[in-house]
Amino acid sequence: MKFISWNVNGFRACLTKGFDEFFAEQNADIFCIQETKMQPEQADFSPEGYHKYFHSAVKKGYSGTAVYTKKEPLSVVFGINGEHTDEGRVITCEYDDFYFVCCYVPNAQTELKRLDYRMEFEDAMRGYLSELDSRKPVVYCGDLNVAHNEIDLKNPKTNVGNPGFSNEERAKFTELLGAGFCDTYRTLYPEKVEYSWWSYRFKAREKNTGWRIDYFVVSERFMERVENSSILTDIMGSDHCPVCLEIKG
């Protein structure tokens, strides 16, 4: 099975940049996107053979997630236990032998002015994932808006304390892994240096001055099914590139 996750930074714009060709080429079993910045009726993309689920923010043109899946889920839930629904950040699809959770984690923003909400969201999400994990394994993916370790961004020293690399955000990711989850890419490739996001400024992508902030995280016991976790750095169309998880069965 193949899963793809991509922060498209505006689905309508990405659809004009070859998204449909990439989608067809990948032939993923589940393809999820973050930062759709739209309501479901605003983009006509309904590929044959897929069920689609959108979770849009109340605020127009902001945030939002979507999941395209070949197999119809047993259930689909939006938000975290009935909360954190206004910004369209979380979609959970239940399958026979695992849960698939697509998430767009809130950005702490300049001067960490939204850090308190970010911490609240992180605690709620960790508790939620642990609750799901007590029933069946979890695949958690998306733009998690944190570079966990220094290897995960080009300039760690000058970014300490900045959104996405604050001690608080990094500690929450450590807590998540400590709760029984694995960062699939870093587990498979402890020393590999690749990024999934580059600023639009200062020719950052051209210079590969990036951050790895897009992830596939799975329950520890699910790692035995993981065949590969990759970052598709050559795919354009957003300031993020897609990430991919391939599993057995």
Side-chain angles (χ1 to χ4, degrees):
M1 296 181 74
K2 180 195 281 189
F3 307 143
I4 298 282
S5 174
W6 192 6
N7 179 322
V8 293
N9 192 10
F11 193 28
R12 286 170 291 177
C14 198
L15 281 169
T16 69
K17 301 173 183 176
F19 178 90
D20 52 348
E21 291 92 342
F22 172 71
F23 186 97
E25 176 187 280
Q26 290 300 307
N27 190 31
D29 295 278
I30 304 175
F31 194 120
C32 71
I33 59 180
Q34 301 88 43
E35 209 169 356
T36 58
K37 294 184 174 180
M38 51 162 279
Q39 303 301 307
E41 67 277 4
Q42 289 182 296
D44 183 19
F45 185 72
S46 302
E48 187 176 349
Y50 284 86
H51 303 271
K52 66 176 182 178
Y53 304 94
F54 276 75
H55 189 201
S56 298
V58 173
K59 180 182 177 182
K60 299 282 180 69
Y62 179 72
S63 189
T65 48
V67 173
Y68 288 86
T69 170
K70 287 183 178 179
K71 184 175 181 180
E72 184 175 6
L74 301 174
S75 66
V76 179
V77 176
F78 303 105
I80 303 174
N81 290 325
E83 299 182 341
H84 301 282
T85 57
D86 289 353
E87 296 180 0
R89 293 187 178 277
V90 185
I91 302 175
T92 301
C93 297
E94 179 185 2
Y95 297 94
D96 292 330
D97 52 351
F98 64 92
Y99 289 98
F100 185 93
V101 182
C102 166
C103 183
Y104 177 36
V105 171
N107 191 300
Q109 297 186 357
T110 306
E111 297 181 349
L112 303 179
K113 59 187 177 185
R114 214 178 184 208
L115 183 63
D116 288 347
Y117 178 68
R118 170 67 179 264
M119 297 294 97
E120 177 188 331
F121 185 95
E122 292 278 10
D123 289 340
M125 178 57 76
R126 188 177 64 259
Y128 176 61
L129 294 174
S130 294
E131 178 188 329
L132 295 179
D133 186 50
S134 69
R135 296 180 224 154
K136 60 180 82 170
V138 175
V139 176
Y140 173 51
C141 69
D143 176 0
L144 305 189
N145 254 320
V146 63
H148 186 215
N149 292 312
E150 290 192 355
I151 192 175
D152 297 316
L153 72 167
K154 181 72 170 183
N155 296 312
K157 297 294 189 266
T158 56
N159 278 291
V160 172
N162 285 340
F165 200 61
S166 68
N167 292 335
E168 294 89 344
E169 292 164 295
R170 296 170 65 194
K172 289 298 180 188
F173 195 82
T174 299
E175 282 187 60
L176 174 63
L177 299 183
F181 297 93
C182 295
D183 171 356
T184 58
Y185 180 87
R186 192 53 73 209
T187 299
L188 294 176
Y189 306 110
E191 298 179 4
K192 198 170 184 179
V193 176
E194 287 184 302
Y195 307 122
S196 65
W197 173 79
W198 303 261
S199 170
Y200 279 133
R201 304 170 66 193
F202 310 121
K203 297 184 178 180
R205 191 158 189 172
E206 182 180 320
K207 298 174 182 176
N208 199 27
T209 305
W211 299 48
R212 187 176 74 95
I213 60 175
D214 300 87
Y215 294 81
F216 273 98
V217 172
V218 302
S219 300
E220 286 178 348
R221 66 190 184 283
F222 199 80
M223 270 305 299
E224 65 185 17
R225 291 183 60 180
V226 172
E227 294 184 322
N228 195 24
S229 184
S230 54
I231 303 175
L232 309 183
T233 56
D234 58 334
I235 303 302
M236 312 299 278
S238 169
D239 52 348
H240 295 250
C241 72
V243 292
C244 177
L245 184 71
E246 295 167 88
I247 67 167
K248 302 169 188 172

